[in-house]
Amino acid sequence: MMKEYPMRVELEEAVQIIKEKVTVMNTERVALSEARGRILARQIVAQENVPPFDRSPYDGFAFRAEDLAQASKEHPVTLRIIEEVPAGKAPEHSVGRGEAIKILTGAPIPKGADAVERYEVTEFNEKEVTFFEPIKSGSNICLAGEDVRQGEILMETGIKLDNARLGLLAALGYSEISCYRRIRCVMISTGSELVPVDHPLAPGKIRNSSAYMIQAALREWGMECDIYGIVSDNSNHIAGAIDVCSQNYDVIFTTGGVSVGDYDFLNQSLEELDAEILLWKVKMKPGMAFVAAMHKQKLVLGLSGNPSAAAATLYLIGGAVLSYMSGKQELPWEKIKVRMSHDFPKSSKGRRFIPGKLCVINGEAYLDSSAVQGNGILSSWHSCNLIGEIPGGTPPLKAGNVIEAYYFV
Ligand code: AMP
Ligand code: MG
């Protein structure tokens, strides 16, 4: 007996239905040098100032600004050099009236000094330094905490660790950091017409191309993804593959067999497994054929065999759901308004998505899309970072028309 589940849902509903069933990944400690692109699993409050002490941004001299109050070309002021402080050393003396300490870039400002002047504008020998103009108190001093202030909330849970954030964590003394575990995905390709990429093509066969596109996209988004391989159009075999994968993976992607044709076995195999089907079919083009299910607490996302349809649901449904599971606070896209680069000659009865690339012409954002679009056309997705949306009931569009688009950040 077929169980009841929502059918022909909106994209947003599909994402919501799935998000209610899945959970955010557990956390693990990750070495800082391995943490680029990982999602931070805790808030970071700075326990120290960065830099930890007032320091000199130049090679020069530290002294009391008031000593130079009367300095000029005609009446230079000469101070006695009492110490030299290279970076990494703490000053031994404090600076008194009429005294200067030679200081190098990155060295701590000595007590008593309230200004630094660069070598270049002075004259000096081993013992003395001469100045030709006054300087304001506080000049050329980098203050402790000017980069990160002790006590400030530096990073929030759910942000992606990028280059500078890793540098800041290192400055604060973290050698490892708590991150959400990477989602382990697997890609099962169903279809009796498929052959592995390194096999010759017999009549009627095509290569398993979608698996590599999906694996690459998931890895780019920070997930792990293995390719399980090809399973023929047989509900038993498909069920067996999904069941095996449910032991080792968090999310199981499949392609193919998710429509209503005689050889579309995916839903049947999910029913054989007694998996909980969450929804079937989404009101979008490409990408109508799509099924989501839970099997043994693992998420199964059944994408269309058509490469473009698979890409559309992967980006717009998979992208949102995986982003949530990975612990990210934000969606993987921002919605922006863009102009079309090409005419779109068909009218759109239902909601339609057009893949492309963001480009800027004369300061305006454009969706640079291929003229050729279709369910089976993967080429239109190359370099994709922007997906335009054409609402249902829209007549053909002209180049230059403004549409909403999902910009993948
Ligand atoms: P299906 O979703 O099984 O009805 O397949 C729709 C179309 O996508 C058919 O033309 C299939 O041959 C093709 N197709 C299915 N799986 C793949 C795949 N892994 N790579 C490329 N094309 C595929
Ligand atoms: Mg098929």
Side-chain angles (χ1 to χ4, degrees):
M1 244 268 299
M2 282 254 294
K3 288 188 199 127
E4 292 286 312
Y5 43 78
M7 277 178 62
R8 293 181 57 81
V9 301
E10 290 292 346
L11 166 63
E12 293 74 13
E13 271 179 276
V15 170
Q16 197 48 41
I17 290 169
I18 302 168
K19 269 168 81 172
E20 277 164 19
K21 286 288 171 181
V22 293
T23 50
V24 174
M25 292 291 109
N26 291 332
T27 64
E28 63 185 4
R29 312 275 309 163
V30 180
L32 212 55
S33 53
E34 301 301 321
R36 185 171 186 280
R38 298 294 298 266
I39 308 302
L40 186 64
R42 53 165 291 193
Q43 188 188 59
I44 302 290
V45 177
Q47 300 300 318
E48 296 168 5
N49 277 325
V50 180
F53 49 82
D54 294 352
R55 65 184 178 186
S56 173
Y58 298 121
D59 295 336
F61 295 92
F63 49 85
R64 297 150 63 107
E66 62 179 34
D67 284 358
L68 302 197
Q70 307 303 326
S72 66
K73 283 217 172 67
E74 297 73 35
H75 299 102
V77 172
T78 298
L79 304 179
R80 193 162 58 84
I81 301 172
I82 58 165
E83 188 184 344
E84 178 172 323
V85 186
K89 205 179 148 231
E92 285 169 16
H93 301 95
S94 55
V95 178
R97 186 168 297 161
E99 294 174 342
I101 285 183
K102 194 172 179 189
I103 192 168
L104 288 105
T105 304
I109 304 296
K111 281 207 185 71
D114 65 348
V116 168
E117 188 55 282
R118 291 168 295 147
Y119 285 172
E120 296 90 313
V121 297
T122 67
E123 278 177 14
F124 62 95
N125 57 35
E126 295 271 285
K127 293 195 175 132
E128 290 177 338
V129 52
T130 301
F131 301 87
F132 303 91
E133 55 187 21
I135 189 167
K136 276 203 204 114
S137 173
S139 296
N140 300 329
I141 292 180
C142 294
L143 295 175
E146 72 166 8
D147 195 350
V148 178
R149 189 159 295 282
Q150 186 175 20
E152 83 173 79
I153 297 173
L154 186 60
M155 295 174 210
E156 292 286 2
T157 304
I159 55 121
K160 192 170 172 180
L161 292 172
D162 64 11
N163 310 351
R165 284 174 174 145
L166 291 171
L168 289 168
L169 289 170
L172 287 167
Y174 290 89
S175 59
E176 49 174 43
I177 193 78
S178 174
C179 296
Y180 291 104
R181 183 166 70 66
R182 278 184 201 279
I183 303 174
R184 281 197 277 271
C185 304
V186 65
M187 176 51 228
I188 303 170
S189 307
T190 79
S192 299
E193 73 277 37
L194 301 176
V195 295
V197 284
D198 52 355
H199 282 217
L201 288 179
K205 302 286 185 183
I206 60 166
R207 295 200 180 89
N208 176 19
S209 57
S210 294
Y212 293 87
M213 185 264 300
I214 292 167
Q215 180 186 51
L218 293 170
R219 288 183 173 171
E220 188 185 337
W221 296 341
M223 333 271 151
E224 294 172 15
C225 184
D226 290 336
I227 290 178
Y228 175 89
I230 296 164
V231 182
S232 57
D233 287 318
N234 171 310
S235 67
N236 253 310
H237 294 174
I238 298 170
I242 293 173
D243 198 40
V244 165
C245 289
S246 71
Q247 291 169 21
N248 297 320
Y249 297 96
D250 305 304
V251 182
I252 301 160
F253 281 90
T254 67
T255 52
V258 74
S259 296
V260 285
D262 289 346
Y263 293 88
D264 287 336
F265 287 115
L266 198 78
N267 286 28
Q268 195 181 319
S269 39
L270 290 169
E271 276 158 20
E272 282 174 25
L273 287 170
D274 208 21
E276 182 190 1
I277 298 182
L278 305 180
L279 66 105
W280 185 31
K281 295 192 176 176
V282 183
K283 289 191 216 166
M284 58 191 275
K285 198 171 178 171
M288 169 71 82
F290 173 86
V291 68
M294 295 299 290
H295 175 57
K296 297 188 174 162
Q297 294 170 346
K298 304 300 175 66
L299 176 63
V300 183
L301 296 179
L303 315 184
S304 169
N306 275 309
S308 178
T313 46
L314 172 70
Y315 275 65
L316 294 169
I317 303 177
V321 169
L322 294 173
S323 178
Y324 168 74
M325 290 177 74
S326 66
K328 277 189 210 154
Q329 291 302 319
E330 287 157 6
L331 283 167
W333 59 69
E334 273 166 27
K335 283 206 186 164
I336 59 172
K337 287 219 177 342
V338 293
R339 291 188 188 278
M340 311 258 297
S341 68
H342 289 72
D343 290 350
F344 191 77
K346 297 181 217 167
S347 35
S348 304
K349 210 164 134 229
R351 200 175 174 189
R352 189 196 291 275
F353 293 94
I354 306 179
K357 203 169 73 174
L358 178 71
C359 71
V360 177
I361 304 170
N362 293 333
E364 282 206 84
Y366 276 77
L367 171 69
D368 182 5
S369 62
S370 141
V372 194
Q373 302 272 343
N375 261 342
I377 310 284
L378 186 56
S379 337
S380 58
W381 286 83
H382 78 81
S383 316
C384 174
N385 63 359
L386 189 66
I387 301 176
E389 172 171 0
I390 303 179
T394 307
L397 290 173
K398 289 268 167 227
N401 283 163
V402 174
I403 57 168
E404 276 221 319
Y406 295 66
Y407 176 49
F408 283 74
V409 282

